[in-house]
């Protein structure tokens, strides 16, 4: 069973730059190149790539306290 993360579109404003820097990626199931995040379909992103994205988010300068809380808890689980 795969672990999946669902993110609402408005939450992407804060994380999109870090996600965009991770592409292009290779789909681990099909071997196809993913040139960018697909807003309408699954985006299989490997755990090591997520670790890099989360590191970038952690280093992001944020003045809004609510956004900092969101980034610190993203992804929760």
């Amino acid at each position: 069973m795969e672990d999946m993360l669902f993110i609402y579109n408005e939450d992407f404003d804060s994380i999109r730059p870090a996600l965009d820097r991770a592409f292009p990626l290779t789909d681990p199931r099909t071997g196809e190149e993913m040139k960018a995040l697909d807003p309408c379909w699954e985006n299989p992103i490997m755990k090591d790539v997520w670790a890099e994205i989360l590191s970038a988010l952690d280093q992001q300068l944020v003045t809004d306290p609510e956004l900092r809380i969101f980034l610190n808890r993203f992804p929760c689980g």
Side-chain angles (χ1 to χ4, degrees):
M1 178 129 202
E2 297 178 50
D3 291 330
M4 302 193 81
L5 173 68
F6 181 85
I7 304 170
Y8 289 99
N9 189 52
E10 58 269 13
D11 292 329
F12 269 109
D13 292 341
S14 304
I15 64 171
R16 190 64 188 242
L19 281 168
D20 287 345
R21 284 191 296 272
F23 285 89
L25 292 171
T26 301
D27 183 322
R29 297 173 295 190
T30 66
E32 293 179 51
E33 183 180 61
M34 301 181 300
K35 296 186 188 295
L37 194 73
D38 185 342
C40 298
W41 199 246
E42 294 178 355
N43 292 275
I45 299 175
M46 300 297 291
K47 184 177 182 177
D48 59 328
V49 176
W50 270 115
E52 292 174 23
I53 293 167
L54 293 173
S55 177
L57 291 173
D58 190 42
Q59 296 173 30
Q60 185 173 321
L61 295 176
V62 175
T63 57
D64 179 350
E66 288 187 29
L67 177 56
R68 181 75 268 162
I69 291 169
F70 169 76
L71 292 176
N72 288 345
R73 296 182 74 193
F74 174 82
C76 56

